[in-house]
């Protein structure tokens, strides 16, 4: 349950950051993060918590680099 809540929070925060930063984010990174968020949402619905953790870590690293 905690991982699911973290995933939901991460999706919300990531979408909020993408909206706020808009065109300041390079298109390739924005696309990659959006794809990862979509996959995270799909995997979360499927209950694949291990994948949720991996995608969350990757997305966090991508946003820090941006």
């Amino acid at each position: 349950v905690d991982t699911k809540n973290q995933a939901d929070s991460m999706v919300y925060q990531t979408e909020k950051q993408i909206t706020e930063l808009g065109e300041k984010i390079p298109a390739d990174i924005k696309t990659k993060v959006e794809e990862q968020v979509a996959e995270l949402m799909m995997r979360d619905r499927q209950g694949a918590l291990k994948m949720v953790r991996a995608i969350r870590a990757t997305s966090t690293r991508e946003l820090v680099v941006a």
Side-chain angles (χ1 to χ4, degrees):
V1 173
D2 189 45
T3 300
K4 182 181 180 342
N5 289 340
Q6 289 175 351
D8 290 343
S9 178
M10 193 212 78
V11 166
Y12 171 79
Q13 290 297 323
T14 301
E15 289 175 338
K16 183 178 173 184
Q17 285 181 321
I18 288 172
T19 300
E20 289 174 356
L21 294 174
E23 294 181 16
K24 294 178 184 176
I25 303 173
D28 58 329
I29 292 177
K30 182 177 178 181
T31 299
K32 186 173 184 177
V33 170
E34 288 174 335
E35 289 170 354
Q36 291 173 341
V37 167
E39 185 174 343
L40 173 68
M41 292 169 57
M42 180 189 71
R43 298 286 181 166
D44 182 44
R45 281 186 236 120
Q46 294 174 349
L49 296 179
K50 187 184 278 187
M51 183 60 82
V52 168
R53 290 183 190 112
I55 293 170
R56 183 181 62 208
T58 301
S59 293
T60 300
R61 283 192 301 273
E62 290 291 335
L63 286 174
V64 169
V65 172

